[in-house]
Amino acid sequence: MSVKGWVGGCLVAAVAAAGAAWLTIGQGAGSTTHAVCGPDLGRDEVVAARSQAVAVVEAVENTRYREDGGSAYLTTRVKTLHTLKGEFGDVLDVTQGVKNAGAPGRYTTEDPDRYAVLEPGRQYVIAIQSGSTTGTAGSEAWAWYAEPAERGLTGEREHWQKAIAAPPETSANSACEDIDAPAG
C-alpha cells in the first residue's frame, strides 16, 4: 500500500471517529428528545383550569377492561365523596387509559403519580376531561388525571379549592414543545 493510501485511510478513520464523538457528545449520551403536547398535568392549577370537573371519589369496582386499536381502557364505578369543580352524580362510571401489567386484573399507567389506576376501596382526586359526570345509566366520563387522595377529604378540599381559585398565569393550553429527558 502506498503512503497516499495510508494517509487517506487514516484521514477517513479520523474523520469518522471525530464525527462519532461529536454525535455522542452533542446528543448527550443517555438522553432522548420528544415532544410534549397538552397541558402540564403536574401543576394542580392547570389540572383544575383545564378539567370539566374535579372530585374526590372512592373507587367501588372495576367494571370493564377493553382493548381497542392498540390502546387499553379500564372503566371503574366510583362513589363521589366531595365535588370540587363541576357536577358529579353520587355514583358514576369513569374510564381511563391503562396498560395491562401482565397479570389478570393488574393494570398500570405511564405516570402513576398523576394518573393512578383506580383501585377499588381507595380514594382519589380525579379530573374529568370529557363525558358525562351525572351518573346516568350507560354514560361514562373520561378521567385524564387521577391521584391518590393522600391529604384526606378535608385536606384535598382545601388544596384543590386553592388550585381552582388560582388559575395559571400563562395559558393552560400549551402547544407542543420539544424537551430533552434522560433515557431510562
Side-chain angles (χ1 to χ4, degrees), residues 14-102:
V15 168
W22 175 83
L23 184 61
T24 301
I25 293 169
Q27 294 297 317
S31 68
T32 61
T33 299
H34 60 275
V36 174
C37 301
D40 179 3
L41 298 181
R43 296 174 47 207
D44 292 343
E45 68 274 13
V46 173
V47 171
R50 291 294 310 250
S51 297
Q52 167 187 321
V54 180
V56 179
V57 300
E58 181 176 328
V60 177
E61 69 177 315
N62 293 331
T63 58
R64 183 176 62 179
Y65 171 80
R66 68 182 171 88
E67 295 180 15
D68 184 15
S71 297
Y73 306 95
L74 180 65
T75 300
T76 305
R77 182 159 295 123
V78 300
K79 176 174 62 173
T80 304
L81 301 177
H82 187 74
T83 300
L84 301 163
K85 177 184 177 183
E87 296 180 23
F88 276 83
D90 292 337
V91 176
L92 64 140
D93 289 334
V94 175
T95 299
Q96 63 182 148
V98 296
K99 292 180 177 183
N100 190 321

Side-chain angles (χ1 to χ4, degrees), residues 83-161:
T83 300
L84 301 163
K85 177 184 177 183
E87 296 180 23
F88 276 83
D90 292 337
V91 176
L92 64 140
D93 289 334
V94 175
T95 299
Q96 63 182 148
V98 296
K99 292 180 177 183
N100 190 321
R106 299 296 306 159
Y107 310 103
T108 187
T109 63
E110 291 288 330
D111 184 2
D113 292 331
R114 292 296 188 180
Y115 197 52
V117 176
L118 302 177
E119 295 180 24
R122 297 195 59 206
Q123 295 180 1
Y124 299 89
V125 174
I126 62 170
I128 302 301
Q129 184 181 32
S130 60
S132 173
T133 57
T134 63
T136 52
S139 67
E140 294 177 8
W142 177 259
W144 69 333
Y145 175 92
E147 171 182 80
E150 296 175 344
R151 296 176 188 96
L153 191 56
T154 302
E156 293 295 356
R157 182 176 56 243
E158 291 171 358
H159 173 80
W160 284 94
Q161 284 174 340

